[in-house]
Amino acid sequence: MKKSGAERKRVRRSPSSLQNGTSDTPPGKQGSKKDVFQLFAEKVRDHKGLESRWAVLQETRVEYFRGKDFVNFLRNHPELKDTLDADKTLEVEEIGNTLLRKSLLVRCDRVVKTLRPGKKKLSTWPAHLEIYPEQVFSDNDAFFAWTFVKRHPLWQTLLSFFWPVLTLAICLFPIYPHQVKLIILYVCAGLLLLILSLLLVRATIFGAMWILLGKRVWFFPNILAEEATLGELFRFWPKKDEEEKPKWTARLFYAIVAVLVILLLRHHAPDEAARARYQKRVYNIIDDVLEWSPRLALSGMMDKQPTVVNAMEPAENSTVREDESPASQESGIEQPEFVDTIEDVDDTENRRHHDGL
């Protein structure tokens, strides 16, 4: 009985596959297949359950996490190990070491290893990191930074396109209609007032709590942070105060200074007339900005240009007396101008003709 073509091909291919330890997948498809640990690292990084921060590592901003958080995260989300296929049974430490070997992670250490004055313990999330000599996974005060470039979501791509458009729109503000200018002015003024009010109330609450109770309470603690995500930036509740309680002498001193500053500002506050003058000046500046337009600017520039008269061309509709002496010109005496029109000359000739008759 003869074998079919498919069976003969299967018989020829199976010994070589077993000896070389390769599958029947073509080499091109194997190369294009993504590493399972790369997919696992991307899923872990995109997951919101793993807490991470941003720091500076060798003059480069990196996203990093703590080793103990990584262990707890994989224990709470074991379904992510299914991405590893055959390696899903590995322990957390083995997975971490594999990510380190594949250069998907790099172990880091804090740069500042000494306590600052007034601190009880080191910072939980340091802002500056350095590469740790031994690249081995650990959950004991160890930090690990991602080394691959994170995929940008769609909203970030749209935002990167929107920024140049916004810049161009700001540059074209002078040619907007008057109503649009008013809307932009009120929106920007409202946002600026909101930010300044928030900072003022925040500082007032901190000063009152620090003087009265000796506690450091900063609402919106990350509102002025340079390296913070969007979620951390608008976090409302303050952090736990880990510093020592201030001395009562320092609190009393700053309380006296605050009272003196308030009394000084109240004494030198502007009166009603000065306030009205300043308000009028501000209104004039705003009106100049809102009423400006390219047409008015061009008309103003044309009005300021001096009128140029060509000396080679004879003056129209005017004649200058020829018997005017140079001496009278140099003396500066204004000479009467004789302007004879064509109608005046015709009237003179008609009178002479009538007298002759």
Side-chain angles (χ1 to χ4, degrees):
M1 182 178 179
K2 296 183 179 181
K3 298 181 179 180
S4 61
E7 292 178 352
R8 281 182 293 180
K9 290 181 181 178
R10 191 182 303 115
V11 172
R12 292 174 186 174
R13 196 165 49 233
S14 56
S16 61
S17 301
L18 293 173
Q19 291 177 3
N20 299 332
T22 58
S23 60
D24 297 338
T25 307
K29 293 185 179 179
Q30 288 182 353
S32 61
K33 186 178 180 180
K34 209 168 189 179
D35 186 13
V36 292
F37 283 94
Q38 176 75 26
L39 295 174
F40 172 78
E42 291 178 357
K43 286 188 176 181
V44 172
R45 188 175 183 180
D46 294 337
H47 203 283
K48 302 298 182 181
L50 181 60
E51 188 176 4
S52 61
R53 293 289 189 277
W54 288 87
V56 178
L57 174 64
Q58 295 181 350
E59 300 181 357
T60 304
R61 294 185 73 249
V62 294
E63 186 181 4
Y64 74 99
F65 58 89
R66 298 180 298 185
K68 60 180 182 180
D69 294 337
F70 184 76
V71 175
N72 297 330
F73 171 75
L74 288 184
R75 288 176 182 173
N76 297 330
H77 300 84
E79 68 277 1
L80 292 176
K81 290 185 178 181
D82 297 338
T83 311
L84 300 177
D85 295 337
D87 297 326
K88 63 181 179 180
T89 58
L90 294 177
E91 297 294 333
V92 178
E93 294 184 359
E94 296 177 350
I95 294 175
N97 290 325
T98 305
L99 294 176
L100 291 171
R101 285 196 303 268
K102 291 181 175 293
S103 299
L104 298 173
L105 287 179
V106 59
R107 183 174 176 179
C108 308
D109 194 10
R110 62 178 81 245
V111 175
V112 180
K113 302 179 178 64
T114 57
L115 289 175
R116 294 180 180 179
K119 294 283 187 179
K120 296 181 181 179
K121 61 179 182 179
L122 294 174
S123 176
T124 306
W125 298 95
H128 297 273
L129 299 174
E130 60 184 2
I131 297 179
Y132 194 73
E134 298 180 2
Q135 293 295 312
V136 181
F137 185 83
S138 174
D139 58 351
N140 184 18
D141 196 26
F143 305 98
F144 300 90
W146 300 107
T147 58
F148 60 91
V149 180
K150 186 177 181 181
R151 293 179 300 175
H152 295 287
L154 180 61
W155 68 269
Q156 290 187 359
T157 305
L158 296 177
L159 188 62
S160 62
F161 172 77
F162 175 72
W163 280 121
V165 177
L166 180 61
T167 305
L168 181 61
I170 294 174
C171 296
L172 297 178
F173 175 79
I175 64 174
Y176 288 167
H178 186 74
Q179 297 295 332
V180 178
K181 289 182 180 180
L182 286 178
I183 294 174
I184 295 175
L185 175 64
Y186 290 143
V187 170
C188 294
L191 291 176
L192 182 61
L193 182 61
L194 176 62
I195 294 173
L196 295 179
S197 301
L198 176 62
L199 296 179
L200 181 60
V201 172
R202 179 173 176 264
T204 303
I205 294 175
F206 173 82
M209 296 289 289
W210 189 83
I211 292 174
L212 298 177
L213 303 177
K215 295 183 178 180
R216 301 170 179 85
V217 180
W218 282 112
F219 290 98
F220 294 100
N222 301 322
I223 196 66
L224 298 178
E226 296 181 358
E227 299 175 356
T229 60
L230 191 61
E232 297 173 355
L233 191 65
F234 294 100
R235 192 177 68 178
F236 177 75
W237 294 109
K239 296 180 180 179
K240 185 179 179 180
D241 188 10
E242 300 176 353
E243 300 182 8
E244 295 181 357
K245 191 174 182 179
K247 297 180 180 180
W248 67 271
T249 54
R251 293 160 55 190
L252 180 60
F253 171 76
Y254 282 106
I256 296 173
V257 170
V259 171
L260 292 178
V261 169
I262 294 174
L263 293 176
L264 185 64
L265 292 176
R266 184 177 179 181
H267 178 71
H268 292 281
D271 54 2
E272 188 66 23
R275 188 197 61 80
R277 290 195 301 269
Y278 180 74
Q279 182 179 3
K280 185 177 180 180
R281 188 184 307 171
V282 173
Y283 283 167
N284 292 335
I285 295 174
I286 295 175
D287 291 339
D288 292 340
V289 174
L290 294 178
E291 295 177 359
W292 186 93
S293 65
R295 184 177 300 176
L296 293 177
L298 292 175
S299 62
M301 293 173 59
M302 295 299 295
D303 293 340
K304 291 181 181 179
Q305 289 184 356
T307 305
V308 180
V309 179
N310 192 353
M312 299 300 295
E313 296 180 358
E316 297 180 357
N317 300 331
S318 64
T319 56
V320 183
R321 293 179 60 183
E322 296 180 358
D323 57 349
E324 186 176 359
S325 62
S328 62
Q329 295 179 0
E330 295 178 358
S331 62
I333 302 175
E334 296 182 358
Q335 300 293 333
E337 296 181 358
F338 298 93
V339 180
D340 297 334
T341 61
I342 299 176
E343 296 179 355
D344 296 337
V345 174
D346 294 340
D347 293 341
T348 305
E349 291 180 354
N350 291 333
R351 292 195 196 98
R352 289 178 181 177
H353 181 70
H354 181 71
D355 294 340
L357 293 175

